[in-house]
Amino acid sequence: MSGTVHRSGFVGIVGRPNVGKSTLLNYYLKEKVAIVSPKPQTTRHRILGALTRDDAQVIFLDTPGLQKPEHALGRHMQEAVKAVLDEADVIAVMIDGRVGLTDADEQVFARIKEVVRRRRGEPRVPAVLLAINKVDAVKKPKLLPLLEACAKTGLFADCIPVSALTGVQMDTLLERIVAHLPEGPRWYEPGRRTDQTPQRLMSEFIREQILMATYEEVPHAVAVLVEQVEERERVTVIQATILVERPGQKAILIGRGGLMLKRIGTAARQQLERLLGRKVHLELWVKVAEDWREDERMLRELGYLDSGAS
């Protein structure tokens, strides 16, 4: 790489819930490091993903959706977003092109403007890009006014319509991100793609299947604690506890005759086998831990209180 410019830096992916932030991260890394579901608050941690090229290393920081916190877990999630905004070299704001600008999007824009104003005294002010996602499902006559409205805010260096699901314009977005990164060295070895530990990925893959299978208040009240991982000759045995806040939620998760828990376990086992590349035996239990989202000790045990600092 001698004689050529090498760029590197941190890219915060932010936006309201359910705009496709984790899908974008997984697309660029070509592997699943962040779970995805149609439910709000799917992402609870700050998730790092490093993309290494000959000319650049892009360190993506996926974040929980920006919203008003309702409990201690929610406050942690918003603190994780703040930490990312305070360190990012580039802020990639995402919106859902199918629904246009919402009040929640406008609140995100206002928050980013505050961050840019606050960081103006720093040696480097973050560049702010807008990714209008899910445009594979948007007709062009609807997209053009949305692009114009976003450009008029004066906040964004670039406004790019993309589809993180199908790959539309994702190369263009990446090139614009790289162009706004400072010159710098590689911060991570090329083979390292994420800071997610195998145990955290296991718990998240199990939680993803719960999110896909349950509704109403249950998905938000669920956490997964991997208790034990045992590597045997032909199989990895994983024992995990699913935490809920109410006995009624436990009953829903177990289901009549244990069918719901069996369904979740089967789907999670298949995901875990893809992750580990070997046969998995998964044992799940469901436990009531009342108001665990307000319990600092439980949040620490689950790894939520320190995720933004790593």
Side-chain angles (χ1 to χ4, degrees), residues 139-168:
K139 293 184 178 178
K140 194 172 182 179
K142 182 180 177 181
L143 184 60
L144 292 177
L146 178 57
L147 274 166
E148 291 175 3
C150 294
K152 284 180 181 177
T153 65
L155 176 61
F156 305 108
D158 295 291
C159 299
I160 303 171
V162 302
S163 171
L165 185 64
T166 65
V168 171

Side-chain angles (χ1 to χ4, degrees), residues 46-298:
R46 189 276 281 134
I47 301 173
L48 181 148
L51 172 63
T52 302
R53 315 191 318 189
D54 288 342
D55 64 334
Q57 187 173 72
V58 187
I59 305 162
F60 292 102
L61 300 173
D62 185 19
T63 64
L66 275 165
Q67 60 186 44
K68 185 177 180 180
E70 298 178 354
H71 37 65
L73 173 60
R75 290 191 292 276
H76 148 76
M77 291 161 60
Q78 296 312 302
E79 287 167 4
V81 180
K82 181 181 182 301
V84 167
L85 292 174
D86 286 343
E87 66 179 300
D89 298 291
V90 174
I91 299 173
V93 182
M94 292 193 76
I95 65 172
D96 185 339
R98 301 172 306 173
V99 299
L101 280 178
T102 67
D103 290 342
D105 293 322
E106 299 279 8
Q107 291 170 14
V108 172
F109 292 1
R111 173 80 176 274
I112 303 305
K113 285 180 180 178
E114 288 179 14
V115 170
V116 172
R117 272 198 301 269
R118 178 165 46 81
R119 293 187 59 184
R120 275 191 183 135
E122 297 180 10
R124 180 176 172 82
V125 179
V128 184
L129 311 183
L130 180 68
I132 303 176
N133 195 25
K134 307 183 185 182
V135 296
D136 52 304
V138 181
K139 293 184 178 178
K140 194 172 182 179
K142 182 180 177 181
L143 184 60
L144 292 177
L146 178 57
L147 274 166
E148 291 175 3
C150 294
K152 284 180 181 177
T153 65
L155 176 61
F156 305 108
D158 295 291
C159 299
I160 303 171
V162 302
S163 171
L165 185 64
T166 65
V168 171
Q169 290 251 94
M170 291 292 282
D171 288 347
T172 301
L173 175 60
L174 181 60
E175 291 310 315
R176 296 311 302 151
I177 288 172
V178 170
H180 287 288
L181 289 176
E183 293 184 28
R186 288 177 177 171
W187 298 101
Y188 295 93
E189 291 297 320
R192 186 180 181 191
R193 298 224 175 162
T194 183
D195 63 349
Q196 301 299 289
T197 64
Q199 192 156 322
R200 176 173 288 177
L201 283 171
M202 290 174 193
S203 67
E204 287 290 271
F205 279 26
I206 296 168
R207 187 168 68 89
E208 180 182 48
Q209 298 310 312
I210 298 169
L211 292 172
M212 301 301 289
T214 59
Y215 302 93
E216 297 178 358
E217 85 283 358
V218 176
H220 310 298
V222 163
V224 177
L225 183 62
V226 174
E227 307 274 9
Q228 185 173 345
V229 179
E230 182 183 352
E231 300 287 353
R232 298 181 183 174
E233 184 177 353
R234 297 185 179 180
V235 64
T236 298
V237 178
I238 300 171
Q239 298 176 339
T241 299
I242 301 169
L243 300 179
V244 293
E245 293 187 319
R246 303 286 181 266
Q249 296 163 353
K250 178 177 179 179
I252 291 170
L253 270 178
I254 294 174
R256 182 173 295 180
L259 287 178
M260 174 63 84
L261 191 60
K262 182 177 180 181
R263 172 185 164 194
I264 290 168
T266 298
R269 177 180 54 76
Q270 293 169 350
Q271 289 286 325
L272 291 168
E273 288 179 342
R274 293 190 189 99
L275 171 69
L276 300 175
R278 69 194 313 256
K279 187 174 176 59
V280 168
H281 175 74
L282 178 62
E283 299 176 7
L284 296 176
W285 293 269
V286 184
K287 176 183 175 182
V288 176
E290 290 191 8
D291 298 319
W292 67 263
R293 286 178 289 180
E294 292 286 6
D295 187 328
E296 299 280 322
R297 181 187 63 81
M298 284 301 308

Side-chain angles (χ1 to χ4, degrees), residues 13-26:
I13 311 170
V14 300
R16 65 175 177 81
N18 282 113
V19 293
K21 299 183 293 296
S22 296
T23 303
L24 179 142
L25 177 64
N26 291 338

